[in-house]
Amino acid sequence: MNDLFWHSEEKTHRSTLTLYELNQLVRETLQIEMPDEYWVEAELSEVREVRGHCYMELIQKDLFNHTPIARASAKCWKNTWMKIGPKFEHVTRQPLHVGLQVLLKVRADFHEAYGFSWIISDIDPTFTLGDMAKKRQEIIRQLKEEGVYDLQKELQLPLFTQRIAVISSENAAGYGDFCNQLANNDDNLKFYIRLFPAIMQGEQVEQSIISALNQINERLDDFDVVVIIRGGGATADLSGFDTLSLAENVANFPLPIITGIGHERDESVLDMISHTRVKTPTAAASFLIEHLSHVYERVENCRSEISHLVSRRMEVEKMRLEKLAEKIPVLFSLVKSRQEMFLEKCNSRIIYAVREILTTQTYRLEQLNMKFAPLKDHVFTRERHRLELLSHRIEALDPALLLKRGYSITLHNGKSVRNPDELCNGDEIETRVEKGKVKSVVIK
């Protein structure tokens, strides 16, 4: 009983704190125990600006499975952010963004109402540059191990590079400058441009450009080259161009790729892996114009050289023809003499051959005549005897002889009457006898 009473009394007289008092105690303890500032390495998982202040979420990931093992909130007040923010962007050529490794100078802060956070007083851009360079080197190493780092460099830029597939933001000033410069070149060279719109800033750069490359890949025969362009600037975000997946897609692309995605001091992995890297979109246009101008100049030089060679050849052939023309009369006279001699020989041979043929045929005709003479006489005698026999037969059949023998011939309309049935009552007939003829009328 006494023990229970003592514990109850102790509980009744124990001191208590309000939440505010407890949070205030935490703040005072932090101020006493952690008064210094610390440099801390972390990855940004969230970055946002609100009314000039910058709010960040920091994480640290496990080296093996990349899962977060630590989290914290950090703030950079407006007056400090206005100084260190532009400095960071100027040195790194990009703003703070999710996934970036940073080195921050922070101090612990605990507010009774808002809780704990780290207050940022400085950022070391050289650390971020080093981390970016390390990532780039890792990507480059992997590309070289895969054997694709120099694939674009091995492609040959077509001589007549006029059909251009452009990957850029549709409303970007750099794209407009690129098109204007190509359209208004001094040599009036013609270029055919097709835009494949893509997001050129932020976290979607990688997938957007890869999607555009896939669209171009479906129409490879329509283009000679691919140009990836965007304007550079103090706040240029080039991190999207430093990814392994995008570099692999560009390295393995079957068409040459020209990049103009930043100013001279900006060089991304995409620039390193591409066929040709230029500073800006206008520089890309100048490169294409210069390339086609050199080709045009080569064509013109070839045309002039061909014209010169043809002229020289024509002069040589003209001189050759003149020399041949001088030789033609002499050659013609020589050829004429040779041909005349040849014709005389041919004529003599023909005459001799004709005489030989005539002699041979004459002798043959004489032989035939000697063979046919007896046959001729025999044939003539036989035919003469045959004619005599025919003459005797004709004389025996002469109607006049029949009339002399006392016969008569009856004619009707000039034809002999053989059958009295052929005559009709009243027909006039003529009867011929040896001494004359008698006309009669048939009466039946």
Side-chain angles (χ1 to χ4, degrees), residues 171-189:
N171 299 320
Y175 172 65
D177 295 339
F178 175 82
C179 293
N180 290 334
Q181 187 154 346
L182 287 183
N184 301 313
N185 64 85
D186 295 335
D187 295 327
N188 293 321
L189 302 173

Side-chain angles (χ1 to χ4, degrees), residues 94-235:
Q94 61 179 324
L96 292 174
H97 59 83
V98 174
L100 201 63
Q101 291 286 339
V102 292
L103 180 61
L104 306 174
K105 190 175 185 180
V106 299
R107 60 179 175 83
D109 179 73
F110 190 86
H111 191 277
E112 292 82 347
Y114 302 108
F116 179 83
S117 66
W118 295 100
I119 303 301
I120 302 170
S121 61
D122 199 1
I123 304 177
D124 186 356
T126 58
F127 173 83
T128 303
L129 285 175
D131 183 71
M132 292 166 55
K134 186 189 300 182
K135 289 182 178 178
R136 287 180 182 176
Q137 291 303 318
E138 178 61 25
I139 293 173
I140 292 171
R141 182 192 64 79
Q142 190 165 346
L143 292 172
K144 289 182 177 179
E145 286 183 356
E146 294 174 2
V148 300
Y149 185 80
D150 293 319
L151 288 182
Q152 273 285 314
K153 303 295 190 297
E154 296 173 0
L155 295 177
Q156 186 73 29
L157 197 66
L159 286 177
F160 298 93
T161 303
Q162 296 175 280
R163 304 174 302 165
I164 305 167
V166 180
I167 299 177
S168 176
S169 176
E170 186 172 5
N171 299 320
Y175 172 65
D177 295 339
F178 175 82
C179 293
N180 290 334
Q181 187 154 346
L182 287 183
N184 301 313
N185 64 85
D186 295 335
D187 295 327
N188 293 321
L189 302 173
K190 299 298 182 183
F191 295 91
Y192 307 95
I193 304 169
R194 170 66 189 274
L195 175 66
F196 292 83
I199 297 172
M200 306 303 287
Q201 184 171 315
E203 299 179 8
Q204 301 180 24
V205 168
E206 178 187 37
Q207 291 304 320
S208 183
I209 294 179
I210 291 175
S211 176
L213 288 173
N214 290 336
Q215 295 178 48
I216 297 171
N217 190 56
E218 295 175 356
R219 302 174 52 187
L220 283 179
D221 294 339
D222 296 339
F223 303 105
D224 302 313
V225 70
V226 178
V227 177
I228 302 176
I229 54 175
R230 62 157 288 189
T235 60

Side-chain angles (χ1 to χ4, degrees), residues 60-91:
Q60 180 181 346
K61 294 180 180 179
D62 186 271
L63 294 176
F64 300 101
N65 55 24
H66 299 287
T67 58
I69 59 175
R71 294 179 180 272
S73 297
K75 303 173 185 176
C76 186
W77 302 123
K78 181 177 181 180
N79 57 345
T80 303
W81 179 245
M82 290 177 63
K83 298 176 183 178
I84 65 175
K87 176 184 175 183
F88 180 87
E89 293 184 5
H90 178 73
V91 175

Side-chain angles (χ1 to χ4, degrees), residues 282-302:
T282 53
S286 298
F287 174 80
L288 292 170
I289 293 171
E290 183 179 0
H291 173 77
L292 195 58
S293 295
H294 286 166
V295 173
Y296 179 73
E297 184 178 352
R298 286 177 60 186
V299 172
E300 285 297 310
N301 290 339
C302 290

Side-chain angles (χ1 to χ4, degrees), residues 307-367:
S307 177
H308 177 66
L309 291 174
V310 169
S311 298
R312 286 184 56 187
R313 184 60 182 268
M314 290 181 66
E315 291 176 0
V316 171
E317 294 300 325
K318 182 179 179 181
M319 294 175 61
R320 181 169 170 269
L321 288 173
E322 290 176 352
K323 290 181 179 180
L324 289 174
E326 294 174 357
K327 295 179 180 179
I328 285 175
V330 178
L331 294 173
F332 178 76
S333 176
L334 180 60
V335 171
K336 180 181 179 182
S337 299
R338 289 178 179 175
Q339 293 300 318
E340 287 177 348
M341 292 176 62
F342 176 74
L343 290 174
E344 289 177 359
K345 290 181 179 179
C346 290
N347 187 43
S348 299
R349 291 176 181 175
I350 291 170
I351 292 173
Y352 177 77
V354 170
R355 286 176 178 174
E356 286 291 325
I357 292 172
L358 288 174
T359 301
T360 301
Q361 295 301 323
T362 301
Y363 175 76
R364 185 180 175 203
L365 289 174
E366 290 175 353
Q367 293 295 321

